[in-house]
Amino acid sequence: MIRQAKAEDAEQVAPLIYIILEDMELPFLKGVSKEMMLEMIEASFLRPDYRFSKENVMVKEIDGKVAGILVSYHGEHAENMDDEWEGIQDMFGIVNKIPLFTERETWMGEYYLDSLVVDSAYRGQGIGKELLHAFKELAVAKNCEIIALNVEKANEGALNLYKKLGYESEYDLVLSGHDYYHMTQNVRS
């Protein structure tokens, strides 16, 4: 079942978000332990206006376990999406504040898929595709016309899946030193 995340999912969701952050090689991760970062993700999960807030997370649940997640939001919210990060750093006693993200990933008029990850124990079962369909349905329910995501150019498997599902590459961008395609799809056509 795919459902809205709940507060009690934080402990299972945090390691999945960490996978994405680690893959992006974010500079912030060099200054904190994995354990602290997982705690920070869990804290951010409970902040209503933060990027990784439970309000922005859908989970695929199998037998009471979170098998995969998607994080999505309106592009017009992206500019302020990370404002809570400084407060989260304060909670953990971090004095020299470092932003988690520095580049803009989405724009006004888009409903954006920030993150999609499937737990390694559940890969190869079509869960990623299920979550992508749920993302599209969510966008339609929110009266959005354009859905968007970024895929690392080196991730050929994901790129091929997105193309097969109707996404088109709009332009290239660089996020945390990695080359990405910004891909979109019109959900009304």
Side-chain angles (χ1 to χ4, degrees), residues 5 19-20 31 41 45 47 64-65 69 75 87 93 104 112 132 135 156 164 167 176 179 189:
I19 290 169
I20 298 287
I41 295 168
F45 189 71
R47 299 272 180 125
K65 298 203 182 325
I69 64 165
R104 182 125 186 200
Y112 180 61
L132 283 168
F135 166 64
E156 291 181 23
K164 188 187 294 185
Y167 289 85
S176 191
D179 294 323
S189 52

Side-chain angles (χ1 to χ4, degrees), residues 30-177:
K30 293 176 185 166
V32 297
S33 68
K34 180 178 180 177
E35 292 74 24
M36 179 183 274
M37 190 64 204
L38 288 170
E39 288 179 29
M40 293 176 82
I41 295 168
E42 287 180 35
S44 73
F45 189 71
L46 302 175
R47 299 272 180 125
D49 296 322
Y50 188 64
R51 172 189 303 256
F52 298 127
S53 164
K54 63 183 171 49
E55 283 82 6
N56 296 331
V57 177
M58 300 293 289
V59 302
K60 168 68 176 184
E61 182 181 324
I62 299 176
D63 298 328
K65 298 203 182 325
V66 174
I69 64 165
L70 72 84
V71 179
S72 63
Y73 45 83
H74 288 278
E76 51 265 21
H77 299 153
E79 192 169 331
N80 302 317
M81 195 59 60
D82 296 321
D83 290 352
E84 293 285 323
W85 186 244
E86 190 169 316
I88 293 166
Q89 290 181 79
D90 286 338
M91 284 175 55
F92 287 84
I94 296 173
V95 178
N96 298 321
K97 308 289 188 285
I98 300 172
L100 193 55
F101 299 97
T102 56
E103 300 98 351
R104 182 125 186 200
E105 299 177 40
T106 186
W107 288 260
M108 189 173 255
E110 296 178 337
Y111 192 70
Y112 180 61
L113 178 64
D114 179 287
S115 303
L116 185 146
V117 64
V118 176
D119 186 292
S120 61
Y122 296 94
R123 291 189 184 146
Q125 299 178 31
I127 292 170
K129 194 180 282 190
E130 280 184 64
L131 287 165
L132 283 168
H133 287 298
F135 166 64
K136 189 173 184 177
E137 290 172 6
L138 190 59
V140 169
K142 293 178 180 274
N143 294 317
C144 298
E145 188 171 337
I146 304 296
I147 54 177
L149 55 83
N150 295 316
V151 61
E152 193 166 3
K153 289 182 177 183
N155 191 346
E156 291 181 23
L159 179 60
N160 290 333
L161 173 63
Y162 298 144
K163 285 180 179 178
K164 188 187 294 185
L165 293 175
Y167 289 85
E168 296 178 1
S169 180
E170 294 291 323
Y171 51 83
D172 301 353
L173 73 160
V174 176
L175 300 172
S176 191

